[in-house]
Amino acid sequence: MNHSPFPILEFDPDRRAKLTPEHPDTPLLPQRCVITFFREALEELVREQKLDPIAYLHSEIVDLPIYRLKRDGEPVCVALPFATSPGAVCTLEELHTLGAEKFVVCGGAGCLTPGLELGRIILPVSAVRDEGASYHYLEPGREAACPAEGLAAARRGLASLGIPVLEGKTWTTDALYRETEEKIARRAAEGCLTVEMECAGFFAAAQFHGLPLAQLLYAGDDLSADTWDSRGWDRQHTVRRNLLETALDLVTYF
């Protein structure tokens, strides 16, 4: 373990930890898993296919259901995650413990680039680590890269599905209400297309466990102008449902 005046930089490579998720006697989940932040879209899918939960992610506040369905004849599970980077890594840890091995995540993000149209699909190739959880999974560094196997599978699958995406960098922050003008400008200058709260955590935890993972984001609210524009980003039902369907198709290529 290295030592630093700043605790967040004291990375310990020891893979053992006092507290770990409890393994079931046999895997409960199929290997392929979609993690979606789109609760309404998932609930609609559950109603249409009459799905029942096969397991839950538990917390003191809420239990999040996990569902199983077939996609192109392949068993797939789909789950809602806990929010923010710490929530992301806990979600991945627990789904992996229950049997999932290959992941596609889909969510929304704020736009740092002028002219990035609402609903545009973005495939992040790396994330600026302006959060805390990733520093417990990877040595200190400015960025976390999308796991190479997951990125290659996503590119292959998206090309086969004929779905155009914009590849680039995202900024992951823990502090939703501390996205200041200067920070936004700096992140945009270093190539960040978007800002969100989980990507760096997902990338770091997936790298730590050697898991293929990729994340799809859709361009939502706009932070590139003098004033914030929500653009109704959280009411884009069709965009969200379509992106969930894309993620379910894409994970079959993993």
Side-chain angles (χ1 to χ4, degrees):
M1 176 174 169
N2 66 308
H3 297 275
S4 169
F6 309 103
I8 196 65
L9 301 181
E10 292 186 331
F11 177 70
D12 186 351
D14 191 344
R15 299 189 67 84
R16 300 167 299 173
K18 288 282 187 181
L19 179 65
T20 59
E22 185 175 348
H23 285 261
D25 293 334
T26 58
L28 297 179
L29 305 182
Q31 287 193 347
R32 294 179 174 88
C33 181
V34 168
I35 300 171
T36 179
F37 287 87
F38 307 144
R39 179 175 59 84
E40 296 89 349
L42 178 57
E43 289 175 348
E44 184 178 72
L45 178 70
V46 167
R47 289 193 300 270
E48 290 172 357
Q49 298 200 13
K50 298 180 173 59
L51 303 175
D52 292 318
I54 58 172
Y56 288 88
L57 298 175
H58 174 71
S59 78
E60 293 294 333
I61 307 301
V62 65
D63 289 340
L64 299 176
I66 307 168
Y67 300 95
R68 178 188 175 108
L69 64 152
K70 286 286 187 74
R71 203 71 173 190
D72 291 335
E74 297 289 341
V76 173
C77 61
V78 57
L80 297 169
F82 299 112
T84 74
S85 189
V89 301
C90 287
T91 298
L92 194 68
E93 289 271 16
E94 293 175 17
L95 291 172
H96 176 45
T97 297
L98 293 173
E101 299 282 347
K102 304 172 182 182
F103 297 88
V104 173
V105 184
C106 60
C111 301
L112 306 182
T113 302
L116 197 55
E117 62 269 26
L118 180 65
R120 180 72 184 273
I121 300 176
I122 296 150
L123 175 65
V125 298
S126 65
V128 172
R129 298 165 65 186
D130 195 7
E131 40 71 64
S134 70
Y135 291 86
H136 300 277
Y137 289 84
L138 296 178
E139 292 185 4
R142 190 162 188 84
E143 298 179 14
C146 180
E149 186 178 351
L151 183 59
R155 285 170 169 164
R156 182 173 63 250
L158 290 165
S160 180
L161 294 168
I163 297 173
V165 298
L166 179 63
E167 293 192 12
K169 190 185 302 185
T170 188
W171 165 31
T172 305
T173 177
D174 279 337
L176 174 64
Y177 296 117
R178 290 297 299 152
E179 297 170 10
T180 64
E181 197 71 45
E182 187 169 350
K183 277 194 174 181
I184 291 169
R186 181 169 184 179
R187 300 296 180 260
E190 65 182 299
C192 293
L193 302 175
T194 55
V195 58
E196 36 65 47
M197 302 186 73
E198 292 88 14
C199 197
F202 277 127
F203 286 178
Q207 284 193 44
F208 181 83
H209 289 294
L211 300 172
L213 177 144
Q215 185 158 0
L216 299 176
L217 302 170
Y218 80 88
D221 54 315
D222 186 5
L223 292 91
S224 67
D226 292 338
T227 57
W228 173 66
D229 184 357
S230 75
R231 301 201 295 185
W233 77 277
D234 56 347
R235 299 190 300 274
Q236 303 301 311
H237 175 76
T238 301
V239 171
R240 290 169 171 235
R241 179 60 192 267
N242 288 345
L243 193 54
L244 173 57
E245 296 289 345
T246 295
L248 289 166
D249 287 335
L250 183 59
V251 79
T252 64
Y253 289 84
F254 278 57

